[in-house]
């Protein structure tokens, strides 16, 4: 039996939005389905639909075109989970294509169980948010193809390091990640390693203009369908927003947990007001491994 076709919309300056296609969804600045406040989007830009061919998208004669995985489409195009559709300056990620999921292999099942055991079963976990600095401006300067090539390179670096430090990818947020780690110390080492790898990439290739903020916090969370929710998730996101360019910033609790082994160096603490919270927080910048 087929499931619902679901999309995740990443519009400039907006939080990601999940929408269902049932059975069609028209996208544009004046659409009767998904309305986008995007100057590069046409009034009626494209249409998604679910039918005998599964999930498809077609361009509706837009000015700037509709792109699937970086390529412009000229006709109705079939989509699968994981595909990325670009409409103006907006990225639309296919979360579910409406078809039956393929049976999981034993290796995939083992990996899933391991990830759940490691970090996302609820309870106390360490949450890290990463965010590419000035992503909207970079995307506008590079164009869709250049931006997606840059983003893919950034994403591969993050995911490679996750395996090294036992982290779990909770979700990709367009220009960053929400991650979970079984320990504060591993999360901080991951953040420091990520900044080193990005700096090395910029040193080797001037076109790799990716700078990232990382915020890390530890606390009790609620685990629902692979996602994490709760007050401490919100704190971690606000800590990332308070970080400077190329900085890993952690909460006081993460500092206390991660500094115990003596293999990490932190900078001077600073008191910061986080949006949505009344009392100020004491945060610590990460200098790196000792």
């Amino acid at each position: 039996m087929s499931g619902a076709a679901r999309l995740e919309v990443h519009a400039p300056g907006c939080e990601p939005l999940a929408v269902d296609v049932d059975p069609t969804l028209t996208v544009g600045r004046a659409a009767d389905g998904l309305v986008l406040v995007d100057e590069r989007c046409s009034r009626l830009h494209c249409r998604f639909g679910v039918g005998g061919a599964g999930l498809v998208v077609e361009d509706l004669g837009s000015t700037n075109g509709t792109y699937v995985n970086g390529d412009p489409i000229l006709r109705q195009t079939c989509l699968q989970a994981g595909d990325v559709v670009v409409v103006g300056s907006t990225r639309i990620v296919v979360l579910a294509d409406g078809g039956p999921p393929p049976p999981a292999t034993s290796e995939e099942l083992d990996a899933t169980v391991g990830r759940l055991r490691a970090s996302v079963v609820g309870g106390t976990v360490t949450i890290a948010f990463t965010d590419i600095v000035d992503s909207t401006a970079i995307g506008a300067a590079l164009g869709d193809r250049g931006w997606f090539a840059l983003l893919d390179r950034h994403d591969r670096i993050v995911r490679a390091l996750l395996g090294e430090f036992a982290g779990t990818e909770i979700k990709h947020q367009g220009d960053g990640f929400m991650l979970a780690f079984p320990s504060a110390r591993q999360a901080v080492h991951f953040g420091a390693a990520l900044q080193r790898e990005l700096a090395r990439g910029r040193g080797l290739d001037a076109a790799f203009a990716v700078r990232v903020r990382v915020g890390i916090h530890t606390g009790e969370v609620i685990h629902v369908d692979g996602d994490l929710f709760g007050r401490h998730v919100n704190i971690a996101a606000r800590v990332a927003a308070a970080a400077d360019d190329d900085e890993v910033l952690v909460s006081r609790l993460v500092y206390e947990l991660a500094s115990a082994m003596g293999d990490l160096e932190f900078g001077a603490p600073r008191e910061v007001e986080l949006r949505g919270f009344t009392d100020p927080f004491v945060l610590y910048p990460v200098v790196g491994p000792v």
Side-chain angles (χ1 to χ4, degrees):
M1 180 178 178
S2 296
R6 172 160 288 196
L7 311 173
E8 186 173 69
V9 182
H10 298 263
C14 300
E15 294 292 324
L17 173 69
V19 296
D20 291 334
V21 180
D22 184 22
T24 64
L25 179 72
T26 303
V27 179
R29 288 188 292 109
D32 58 1
L34 177 62
V35 178
L36 297 178
V37 182
D38 183 339
E39 294 180 353
R40 297 186 61 204
C41 181
S42 297
R43 289 172 58 81
L44 296 178
H45 199 106
C46 68
R47 180 183 294 114
F48 293 87
V50 179
L55 178 64
V56 298
V57 64
E58 59 179 322
D59 187 79
L60 299 178
S62 67
T63 301
N64 293 316
T66 301
Y67 292 77
V68 175
N69 300 327
D71 295 320
I73 61 171
L74 303 177
R75 59 185 63 85
Q76 192 177 82
T77 300
C78 294
L79 298 171
Q80 296 181 334
D83 285 344
V84 178
V85 180
V86 173
V87 175
S89 301
T90 299
R91 296 175 63 246
I92 302 175
V93 181
V94 179
L95 299 181
D97 55 26
T105 65
S106 59
E107 291 81 4
E108 289 171 335
L109 290 173
D110 290 343
T112 299
V113 171
R115 287 197 300 271
L116 291 175
R117 250 197 323 263
S119 56
V120 294
V121 293
T124 301
V125 298
T126 297
I127 308 116
F129 280 88
T130 73
D131 174 54
I132 298 176
V133 179
D134 294 331
S135 59
T136 301
I138 295 173
L142 292 178
D144 293 333
R145 284 181 179 273
W147 165 246
F148 278 107
L150 194 75
L151 188 63
D152 178 68
R153 185 173 172 185
H154 158 270
D155 291 353
R156 283 188 281 111
I157 291 173
V158 171
R159 287 170 175 145
L161 290 172
L162 271 183
E164 183 176 345
F165 295 100
T168 297
E169 179 182 335
I170 303 302
K171 56 187 174 185
H172 187 284
Q173 298 183 297
D175 58 356
F177 287 88
M178 176 182 172
L179 312 168
F181 294 84
S183 83
R185 182 168 161 272
Q186 285 172 306
V188 176
H189 274 291
F190 162 83
L194 175 60
Q195 297 293 17
R196 288 196 305 273
E197 283 299 305
L198 293 175
R200 186 176 71 87
R202 293 193 301 269
L204 295 173
D205 181 4
F208 186 59
V210 174
R211 299 184 179 277
V212 167
R213 305 181 187 93
V214 181
I216 304 174
H217 177 61
T218 297
E220 291 277 334
V221 300
I222 299 170
H223 171 223
V224 180
D225 294 333
D227 205 348
L228 301 182
F229 300 90
R231 179 176 186 270
H232 293 288
V233 174
N234 295 334
I235 292 174
R238 299 293 184 260
V239 172
D244 293 331
D245 298 0
D246 305 323
E247 184 175 58
V248 180
L249 195 61
V250 307
S251 65
R252 184 199 292 270
L253 180 56
V254 170
Y255 166 76
E256 292 173 351
L257 292 169
S259 62
M261 293 293 290
D263 60 346
L264 287 163
E265 182 181 357
F266 296 84
R270 59 181 188 255
E271 194 172 78
V272 177
E273 292 186 2
L274 302 182
R275 182 167 62 87
F277 295 91
T278 304
D279 297 327
F281 284 73
V282 177
L283 306 179
Y284 291 78
V286 176
V287 175
V290 175

